[in-house]
Amino acid sequence: MNSPVSDILKQLVTFDKTIVQPVYIQVAQQIINAIQRGYLDKGSKLPGTRVLSQFLNIHRNTAVAIYEELASQGWVDIIANRGTFVLVPEESTVKIKATAQHIHQAYTYPKVVGFPFQQSFHLASTVQETTAKYSINDGKPDLRLHPVHQFSRWYSAAMKRKPLINKWNKTSALIPSVFSTQLCNYLNATRGFHIKPNNLVNTRSTEMSLYIVSQLLIKQDDLVLVGQLSNYAANMIFQQAGATIRTIPVDSEGLNIEYIKKHFVKGSIRCVYVCANRDYPTTITLSAKRRLQLLQLAKTHGFAIIEDDYDYDFQLEGSAMLPMASADANGMVIYLGKLGQSLFPSFHTGFVVAPENLISEAKNYLQLLDKQGDLIQEQMLSELISEGEIYRLKKKNIVTYKQRRDSLCHFLNYYLKGVITWEIPLGGLAIWLQFVETISLVKLAEEAEKLDLFLPKTILYQDKHTCAIRFGFGHLNEEELEIVIKKLKSAYNKVIDL
């Protein structure tokens, strides 16, 4: 005859062996739920592991694992030669008694703070939500190309590496990590650098890299020069640091260096922000001549150059132009980049390359923001670099992205010829589309969303001189690209007819 506890467990416990979550976790969670709901009282004796395994039709080792999981969370007490007994964890906190006044408010959470704090307009979110099936972004890769199963194996293997525990317990960093050494070797081979680990710090993202650099570099009201149309995320970071931002015209050769010479006097510039290969958002490449002019100007006037190489991995034709930082003999350039852009976002890592004294300060700052880092990610990326997988994946994806770029240009020419103009970029995952006739891009986005196509505000550029879209194509396959362009054409026609 079954005990009452066994009958309760038979009624309440079910599990599914086809799902990812282990059976012992599924069962343990249901037993905890039964205790919380009062079906199993404190002190109740649970059936032995042999009995539990029989009526649940599971292996006895699984039954043992169930009770060990419950014990580890404090829900049962396993007493040798006596059995397993239900516990109810004591409340670890005591409620604060409400005063007579406002007693009805004591156990609800307030909506606003009762003290002043600094609110920042510059950090207002740019994220927009939509229910549209299709969307255009500013040039992000296609996550569907990420080799999920391969990375599951690599990540699992990295977690099992015995040296990981020693790295977590490490109290000093007198010698460079394997990852920083591998990353240096990779950058030296691909970017023309001659750096060592003390010239490098890796971060979670290029935005984190830029944030740390701006905190070290910029004081209140310092002058930062950016392109006439520039990276909104970078501008937010500069403004939050207290910078005064001034814009510089961008033409077919990139940033106009003569304009800087003419309008900004010696000593007034703190830094100039440029994109290493493709200007954001226009995709124009800064010419070699102007790169040399900017380097010379920085040396003469003593300002820093922040060189953001945000899409180096996506050079679709020819070779990417080497960074200015590779030719900087005077320590004027701070280089920002990202490794693993062909991978899933959680495997990306940002980095900063600069002279040793600035990197030393950046590492100190990073310790405040992200002391633990991600050693598993670093371990795996080290192996992917040394085994050549990073390079192989990048080359494989470039073939796909080049086909998508060419298909997009075909569809643009077929559906929107005479409506927009564009230049075919040699790299990157976005095209700069300029409308021949000025229209309201806000209205275009509204009409497009009615057609199930989302155009976020961050890709729309409109002023008295500009009416353009930064059209990211990397995340769309060829079939999706044609659908999106047809919807864009329909939305344009509706705006024209308004």
Side-chain angles (χ1 to χ4, degrees), residues 263-286:
H263 291 86
F264 299 97
V265 297
K266 178 181 178 180
S268 67
I269 305 169
R270 187 67 180 108
C271 68
V272 176
Y273 174 83
V274 297
C275 298
N277 267 289
R278 280 163 286 280
D279 177 60
Y280 187 104
T282 65
T283 74
I284 294 170
T285 300
L286 184 64

Side-chain angles (χ1 to χ4, degrees), residues 128 130 132 134 136 435 439-460 462 469 487-488 491-492 494-495 498:
Q128 293 175 267
T130 182
Y134 299 97
I136 302 173
F435 287 87
I439 62 170
S440 169
L441 295 183
V442 172
K443 290 182 179 178
L444 180 70
E446 291 173 354
E447 293 299 329
E449 190 149 19
K450 294 176 185 177
L451 299 171
D452 223 13
L453 172 62
F454 177 55
L455 305 180
K457 60 187 178 183
T458 52
I459 70 167
L460 309 178
Q462 185 154 32
I469 294 176
K487 289 179 181 292
L488 189 62
Y492 174 83
K494 289 188 177 183
V495 172
L498 290 177

Side-chain angles (χ1 to χ4, degrees), residues 2 35 38 49 54 70 87 132 166 193 231 281 318 397 407 418 459 478:
N2 290 334
I35 297 170
T49 55
Q54 287 175 351
L70 292 170
L87 297 176
N166 295 330
F193 286 142
N231 189 329
N397 287 346
S407 294
I459 70 167
E478 294 176 37

Side-chain angles (χ1 to χ4, degrees), residues 470-482:
R470 180 177 167 87
F471 189 109
F473 60 84
H475 66 299
L476 300 168
N477 62 35
E478 294 176 37
E479 180 183 352
E480 292 165 338
L481 282 169
E482 183 170 19

Side-chain angles (χ1 to χ4, degrees), residues 320-360:
M321 191 174 289
L322 291 179
M324 282 186 289
S326 66
D328 176 28
N330 300 294
M332 311 309 298
V333 181
I334 302 169
Y335 179 81
L336 312 180
K338 183 185 289 186
L339 177 71
Q341 289 173 283
S342 295
L343 313 178
F344 206 73
S346 58
F347 297 110
H348 295 180
T349 185
F351 55 85
V352 182
V353 173
E356 183 177 351
N357 58 342
L358 187 136
I359 292 298
S360 178

